[in-house]
Amino acid sequence: MLSASKLNRKSDDDFEDHFPYPTCWHDNARRQLLLSPFRERDLNPEGFDSKLKFWVDLIEKYCIYKGDASFSKSELKSRFTRNDRVPSCLDIVLSHMEKQKIVCDRRDYEFDRNSTWTGWAAYKLIKKPVLWAFEILKSNVVANKTSESHPVEYVHLNVLKNFCKQLHEILKKPPFLGKVQPYEVFATDVLKVMLLSDSCIKLCTEALHYERKISLSYKRTYNENSIYLIKVPADENELDIRITEGDLAMHNMSVIRMNLMGQLKDIEIKIEESTEKIRQYLQQNKRQMAKYQLRSKHLLERNYEKQSLALYNIEALLSSVEEAKHNNIILDAYKYGSKALHDILDASNLKYDNATEIISEVTETIETHKELEDAIGNANLNILASNEDDELERELAQLIKEENSKTDSKSVPVPSNIDTIKFQTMPVTDELVTHMLEKLEVEQESPSKKSEKLLQLNS
């Protein structure tokens, strides 16, 4: 993976081909005018303001293009020199941008962000004026060599703000969210998703730390404080995002785990090499050397077992810590759920006695309704059965009457009074029953038509 500095050097080679210059820059006469010093604004206010706006916009585009919110005047001169014509208007441009708080001195930016009110006042009112007077005096004596050897570095505040916003959106997603990791690992992971310089990554992380969106831990190296650890909180609304002792312990255990894994890999390689040497000694009939190498192999294997056990214990501790965090979240969920349920029960006045009474009433009502349905159902069934028997008897009598009229030899005398016939007392032979069953048909008429037909027969 290329670092940001390598990527930026690569972009330097084809800067002219890819940088989004304004259209007016390609006009030679217009470019010469833009590179020339400013005239008095009273002579041409529109031209003065147009030229000033051109350089303000160009510097912002340049910072965005190179992925770095910091720059220097000498860098701008080197970048935008054309045909040995150096930009001679940058002093007024940078002074205007400082007054408008578009840019600021990087030393002032870092000091204002990290100092207390007392330190800020001492720096602004005492130290900075003295340094400024000393720089002026020294620059006059040394003929401006100081400014060239120690150029002032500026920070473009708007560009830095946009870079910080983009970086913060990235930190809300894995693998950054809720992790404590070394700054070097963090910077490497950021370079995989954003094209920023190392200096800009440092500026952005410190700015987010100042805004309490992430937490940083510093250590003293080479007589200066450098970023050691970075913590991205799992919850954006978390109040305390400081790196605690527990976070440091987890980080140290993770480092030890990585070291142990590396040691185990080295031991595995040594064991394989030792096994190969034993085979070679045996092939060469050097039994003493083979025995010595075998003892060394046994020592490596015992060391491997010890390191493996230590690695297992550390991983078990890390797993227990993670489980404890999840258990705490689960218990909090149980607590919130119990409170919500309790509030709902209190608001609805639901109690055990009330629920038992209501259930008992519902049970009694259902039983009463069931008894009523059974009673009504039985009454209807009896009525239907009685009417059905009478109707069947009438139909059978009609069929018998019809059969008697059709058959002469096998006729059966039928009394004239049909209404008084009882089916049970009528003499029926086997032949008659067989014949009746063969002629029997199912009527498709409705009950109302049947009743009308029966009335006609009765009449």
Side-chain angles (χ1 to χ4, degrees), residues 305-343:
E305 291 178 0
K306 293 179 182 179
Q307 299 289 359
S308 298
L309 181 60
L311 179 61
Y312 172 78
N313 293 332
I314 290 177
E315 289 183 344
L317 284 173
L318 292 173
S319 178
S320 299
V321 172
E322 292 296 329
E323 288 179 1
K325 291 181 180 179
H326 291 299
N327 291 336
N328 189 24
I329 295 173
I330 293 172
L331 288 177
D332 289 341
Y334 287 164
K335 181 176 67 176
Y336 297 144
S338 176
K339 185 178 183 303
L341 182 59
H342 183 71
D343 294 340

Side-chain angles (χ1 to χ4, degrees), residues 429-439:
T429 62
D430 293 339
E431 295 178 355
L432 179 60
V433 172
T434 304
H435 184 72
M436 292 171 63
L437 290 175
E438 290 177 354
K439 299 295 183 177

Side-chain angles (χ1 to χ4, degrees), residues 1 28 92 129 146 152 191 202 216 232 258 273 286 311 321 347 359 365 368 435 440:
M1 183 70 187
N28 188 34
I92 295 178
T146 303
V152 177
L191 287 175
K202 184 174 181 293
L216 299 178
V232 181
M258 296 299 297
E273 293 176 352
K286 297 179 180 180
L311 179 61
V321 172
I359 292 173
T365 303
T368 303
H435 184 72
L440 183 62

Side-chain angles (χ1 to χ4, degrees), residues 19-226:
F19 183 74
Y21 281 110
T23 306
C24 60
W25 183 261
H26 302 289
D27 185 355
N28 188 34
R30 177 61 177 167
R31 185 172 64 241
Q32 294 298 324
L33 180 62
L34 293 172
L35 294 173
S36 64
F38 277 97
R39 297 181 181 181
E40 292 295 332
R41 188 176 184 278
D42 297 337
L43 299 176
N44 186 3
E46 293 182 358
F48 185 94
D49 294 341
S50 175
K51 182 177 179 178
L52 185 64
K53 184 178 184 304
F54 167 84
W55 280 105
V56 171
D57 296 340
L58 187 67
I59 292 173
E60 182 176 358
K61 288 181 180 179
Y62 173 68
C63 292
I64 295 173
Y65 178 82
K66 71 172 186 170
D68 193 351
S70 61
F71 64 94
S72 64
K73 185 175 73 173
S74 60
E75 180 183 355
L76 296 177
K77 285 183 176 181
S78 175
R79 176 58 63 193
F80 298 108
T81 296
R82 293 294 179 275
N83 299 326
D84 297 330
R85 184 70 181 269
V86 180
S88 305
C89 54
L90 294 179
D91 289 334
I92 295 178
V93 173
L94 295 176
S95 176
H96 168 76
M97 295 176 75
E98 278 192 287
K99 291 179 181 179
Q100 297 297 322
K101 299 188 183 302
I102 300 173
V103 300
C104 69
D105 191 324
R106 179 162 183 170
R107 293 174 298 181
D108 295 343
Y109 174 79
E110 293 178 348
F111 189 85
D112 291 345
R113 187 184 56 211
N114 298 321
S115 64
T116 59
W117 283 106
T118 305
W120 177 85
Y123 178 78
K124 288 291 186 182
L125 301 178
I126 301 174
K127 187 176 180 180
K128 187 175 180 181
V130 173
L131 290 174
W132 176 79
F134 177 74
E135 291 291 338
I136 293 296
L137 179 61
K138 191 174 181 179
S139 63
N140 292 331
V141 174
V142 189
N144 292 330
K145 291 184 179 180
T146 303
S147 60
E148 296 297 331
S149 59
H150 301 284
V152 177
E153 189 173 3
Y154 296 94
V155 176
H156 199 294
L157 299 178
N158 189 37
V159 173
L160 180 61
K161 181 180 179 181
N162 292 333
F163 282 153
C164 289
K165 184 177 180 180
Q166 296 175 19
L167 181 60
H168 187 230
E169 292 298 323
I170 293 174
L171 296 183
K172 294 179 181 179
K173 305 174 183 178
F176 304 101
L177 187 64
K179 289 186 64 176
V180 178
Q181 56 183 340
Y183 176 75
E184 291 78 9
V185 178
F186 166 79
T188 303
D189 292 338
V190 169
L191 287 175
K192 296 177 181 178
V193 292
M194 288 186 69
L195 180 58
L196 297 177
S197 67
D198 299 333
S199 174
C200 191
I201 292 176
K202 184 174 181 293
L203 279 173
C204 290
T205 52
E206 290 179 340
L208 293 175
H209 172 64
Y210 177 73
E211 296 173 2
R212 298 185 58 81
K213 294 180 179 178
I214 62 174
S215 181
L216 299 178
S217 174
Y218 294 85
K219 67 177 180 179
R220 192 75 176 175
T221 56
Y222 303 107
N223 296 326
E224 65 177 1
N225 288 330
S226 59

